[in-house]
Amino acid sequence: MNKTLVSFLVFVVGLAVFHNAIFPIFTPKEVGWILNRYVYFLSFIAYLIITHLILRLKPPIAMMGLFVWSIGFYFYKFVLYPPIPWTLFITYMVMWSIGTFLYISQDPETFREFRKPIVKAIVGEYKMAQIVLMIALPILVGWATYQSIYPSFQEPVELRTVHPAPPATTKVHGKTYPLESTNNPFRVDEQDNYKDSFPFLDADKHEYMKYVTEGGTIFFQNCHYCHGDQLNGLGMFSHVFNPTPANFIDPGTIAMLQEAFLFWRVSKGGPGLPNESTPWSSAMPPWEEHLKTEEIWKVILFEYWYTGWHPRTFGTEGSTAGGGE
Amino acid sequence: MVGNNLNLTVTKPKHMEMTMTKNNNYIKRLILSFLALALIAVPGAALAGMPDPIKKDMLEKGKKVYFKRCVWCHGVEGGGDGPSADRLFTRPRNFIQGTFKIRWTDSGELPLDINLINTVKNGLTGSAMPAWGEFLAEDEILSVVQFVKSLVQDREWDDEDEEVNNVIGGSATSASSRPAIGADIGKGPLGDPPWAKTAGPYHLGIPQEHVDAGKELFMKNKCWECHGGEGRGDGNPTMKDDWGFPIVAANWQQCWNHRGSRREPYDPFVVARTISTGLNGTPMPNFREQLTGTERWQVAAFVNSLCPRKNIDKLTNKPVPDFLIQSVYTEGIVVPKIDDPSWASPDTDYRIVDLSEEQAENPKKHYIAMAGQITRGKRNFDPKADNLYVSSRWSAEEQAVYYLVEYDTRFMSQDPEFPDAVAIQWPAKLQDLFGAEKPYFIYGDSKKPVDVWKASFMAKDYSATNAPNEKGYQLDVNVKEYVANGFDAVADKESEGKVEIVDSIFHQGRVKVMFKRALTTEGEFDVQIPSEQFIPVSFFQWSGRDKEHDEHMAISTWYYTILKPALPASLYYMPPIIAAIFVCFQGWLVWMTKRTRKMYDEGKMRRDELPK
């Protein structure tokens, strides 16, 4: 049997078997020292080298080049994790292609060998290959031109500031609050003491749980439509809005903010955002129109208690200590 | 009481007992016992048994989960009366009577534990009940289900008279929600579908014969009395649930809102199960007396075929909105008729199911998600329209643009004081906006006015209790234009209105309204619509039957629309030119290569020599 063909089959069949049967084994949920995707990739390379050595296969240099290039493509496309954006992928593949070319042209002999089939196709010694190339390539070029001219429209990308700089003071219900030094008046105790207390059940026993119960009641009458029953920003209306409502479970939202910042955002909503936060698409209502000052503070107290985060504080130790559940 | 025997085979002694008391003859008794046993062994028979008793050791933990996560909607005693209840439609479940909708058991019976566990894990899509499967730990879910069972006051889970018949046939302990056994017997378990396999998450490829058979059964069994002629839930406006709260039939064309879909909206099993079990507490009965298992699957196939295939967001379980509304360039003039073939387009996403050749160039129906307006004034916590479909054409010859706005609404208003309405909102001073700047998304703001085109309409000769009307109802439309600088500053335009409603209809639970306006107008606060430019646009909708008016409405966020240009002529001549240039290049390459070879052969030049 033609050794070139054997080598080709070793590569193609081997890759199919490895990718479909062995890859899943090496990518369990819990990644280990042996069972990971890179060990899998190395074992595929080892398989290729060992099979070629045992069977004494010496494919022509053009095919070797193709193998090397394909292995790189496979690695960047399927093995490397997390997946890379396509621009980076293109960059890596350009470098990999240059590397492959260097490998092919390492000495004049291999380079000539590599050129041989190409030249033969061009001058027509491989008649079929010549005909196919001469017809297929111009059609491909025409098609690519058509694709690039065809008008297509994507919605414009909009950038916005997620956490805009707050003003120094905010005026709610006729009273001015300096954001730097305002604290939640209902934070009457350390919230961790109430991890295993329950709204409604313990509302009569502890003042703190009374406030949490009241805050939760307001939350589930007003806020859950967008911010969700789980406070994860996936409420019934959440899919309607762009930007999507904030996810309080995420460590990047209330966990890294002061309570006074929340007080300002809840009171003033989307319309109260500074100019840098345009486009004005935030659907957050200015809640000062519907809620009393103390109700806003209670909702904020509830949000921290429910998620297990601690508000950010300045000047005291353990500023951002805490964690989600 | 049979104690803690969870095994479904508890029916065995029961059946035997019966036969024994009735027959004293030993041999007869033996034969009958065997018959009874055989009956149980036949996979077709319903699996009768006791409800799963409450696992008391889990209650402590379950109570903690309940009072942290569930109490807000379901209430302290499980009466479905938590703080949020009055602002939700449909209301949260009242556990006290033991009435659960999504089950595998017969109508009126208590559910199996696995049914409740799956409800908690997957949530109830289309309602406020979220999926807790990724949020709570497995043991928290199992415990809270036991605690919820303990909130049932009117029934006892270990009562000897409580029978549960698993009419679906799934395993009571298996986490899989799909039935494994069953045969095609009217009263028995549902069994397997009559088709071999469906393709992919969209369950396409069910043979048309089953869909057609299902449609016939839909007509014969009068499903349309409640669900409407095309399944949009527009049949019966007077339905109430067991507690006297108003309730509506499911809209089959929004299957992502089917409560028991377990996040598999296109799985026909969802519908086949509901037809087999009914929905306790609602007017939905089961149809096992009327339909065999196969027939129930066929009805499910028909119901399923009505639901447009959309790209469903895994997190929100709603279709992903199409944020760019593309207005199709039309050669000559646009036909201003909704049922003209040039406007025909499926609700299904063209990226999921290929378009027919005639519709390939037609405008697509863009999915616009709607929510209640809960920012100002009278707030709307239960909007009636879940989404709009918007498609558009424009014509350079007419210098006009057309927007066809459609949405599902079960019943229209019959009160002229509260007509139904839909509006398109534009930035009034588009030319003054810089970059991505936009007016405030509801009625603009003091600096940036908006231009609102509002069409209000009443259906002619319409009554909500009418039988399905295949011709639909013509609409009495009144169109008005407003300029708004905020909620408190919505005013009639002083300039002459230029917006026209060129066609409209209310057909089988769907409103269709076609707007037309010239691209450029004289009015100071009229949006001037350029082509090939992204223009912010958003939508409002009012349900007259719900007495919605003014700011009590459904809203969308800002979308973009663009008037796509005609296909450039270069599209037709450039590709051949480039290809021809490439052919010349190839010819040159061949000529060069051959010439070099010839020079080698003639010895005019030496090949690159290898080092010795």
Side-chain angles (χ1 to χ4, degrees), chain B residues 8-42:
Chain B
L8 282 168
T9 51
V10 281
T11 34
K12 218 184 288 179
K14 257 192 169 174
H15 275 250
M16 284 159 88
E17 226 170 55
M18 253 170 57
T19 50
M20 275 190 283
T21 46
K22 279 181 187 165
N23 306 281
N24 291 324
N25 184 308
Y26 175 77
I27 297 172
K28 228 178 180 179
R29 215 162 64 190
L30 200 72
I31 293 169
L32 277 170
S33 312
F34 269 114
L35 274 177
L37 265 172
L39 205 80
I40 293 160
V42 166

Side-chain angles (χ1 to χ4, degrees), chain A residues 125 158 220 225 229 289-290, chain B residues 84 87 128 375-376 560 597:
Chain A
E125 280 179 41
E158 289 178 359
F220 281 93
Y225 296 97
D229 296 327
E289 292 177 15
H290 298 286
Chain B
S84 74
R87 287 181 176 179
T375 298
R376 276 287 186 92
Y560 279 109
R597 277 225 162 168

Side-chain angles (χ1 to χ4, degrees), chain A residues 18-282:
Chain A
F18 262 77
H19 186 74
N20 292 311
I22 301 179
F23 201 22
I25 301 173
F26 276 86
T27 45
K29 273 188 179 169
E30 297 282 318
V31 177
W33 283 103
I34 301 295
L35 289 183
N36 67 53
R37 35 183 67 237
Y38 304 108
V39 172
Y40 154 78
F41 182 71
L42 289 180
S43 44
F44 174 62
I45 303 294
Y47 150 81
L48 277 187
I49 294 173
I50 291 168
T51 348
H52 276 76
L53 285 179
I54 290 175
L55 299 177
R56 296 170 189 279
L57 301 174
K58 269 201 178 165
I61 190 74
M63 189 178 276
M64 289 289 276
L66 187 69
F67 286 172
V68 170
W69 192 86
S70 310
I71 286 170
F73 184 88
Y74 180 67
F75 179 80
Y76 290 124
K77 188 89 191 163
F78 297 103
V79 179
L80 189 61
Y81 192 85
I84 51 176
W86 68 271
T87 43
L88 199 57
F89 175 76
I90 300 270
T91 314
Y92 285 174
M93 278 320 292
V94 165
M95 288 201 284
W96 188 263
S97 305
I98 293 171
T100 309
F101 186 75
L102 287 179
Y103 163 73
I104 290 164
S105 59
Q106 54 189 310
D107 62 64
E109 193 170 5
T110 54
F111 191 48
R112 179 191 286 179
E113 203 190 324
F114 170 73
R115 274 189 323 203
K116 207 160 70 187
I118 300 174
V119 171
K120 281 189 176 173
I122 289 176
V123 298
E125 280 179 41
Y126 294 156
K127 201 71 200 169
M128 274 313 286
Q130 190 196 28
I131 292 169
V132 169
L133 281 180
M134 292 295 152
I135 293 169
L137 280 183
I139 291 176
L140 208 65
V141 167
W143 172 245
T145 315
Y146 182 86
Q147 286 293 316
S148 65
I149 298 178
Y150 198 91
S152 81
F153 300 93
Q154 301 285 320
E155 60 168 300
V157 179
E158 289 178 359
L159 303 173
R160 64 188 185 95
T161 316
V162 179
H163 296 313
T169 62
T170 184
K171 193 174 175 185
V172 177
H173 297 135
K175 193 164 174 259
T176 304
Y177 299 86
L179 254 54
E180 188 102 342
S181 56
T182 302
N183 290 311
N184 192 336
F186 296 99
R187 195 167 281 280
V188 292
D189 199 357
E190 167 52 45
Q191 87 178 53
D192 283 349
N193 295 341
Y194 301 95
K195 269 184 183 165
D196 294 313
S197 303
F198 296 94
F200 299 101
L201 289 182
D202 299 322
D204 297 336
K205 282 180 240 161
H206 307 295
E207 201 189 351
Y208 192 93
M209 287 314 294
K210 179 170 163 270
Y211 298 144
V212 167
T213 307
E214 289 169 1
T217 298
I218 294 157
F219 184 91
F220 281 93
Q221 284 171 346
N222 298 288
C223 318
H224 81 92
Y225 296 97
C226 292
H227 296 286
D229 296 327
Q230 298 166 344
L231 277 62
N232 56 358
L234 295 174
M236 301 164 78
F237 294 167
S238 64
H239 67 293
V240 172
F241 298 114
N242 180 20
T244 52
N247 169 3
F248 301 143
I249 305 291
D250 187 281
T253 61
I254 62 170
M256 49 172 280
L257 296 168
Q258 277 179 285
E259 281 186 294
F261 185 97
L262 266 72
F263 179 73
W264 164 63
R265 290 288 284 114
V266 174
S267 307
K268 301 296 176 190
L273 284 170
N275 279 340
E276 73 208 47
S277 300
T278 52
W280 289 53
S281 308
S282 166

Side-chain angles (χ1 to χ4, degrees), chain B residues 41 55 73 79 200 205 233 401 412 446 525 533 544:
Chain B
K55 297 192 180 82
C73 294
V401 64
M412 288 194 71
S446 58
F525 293 106
Q533 196 176 316

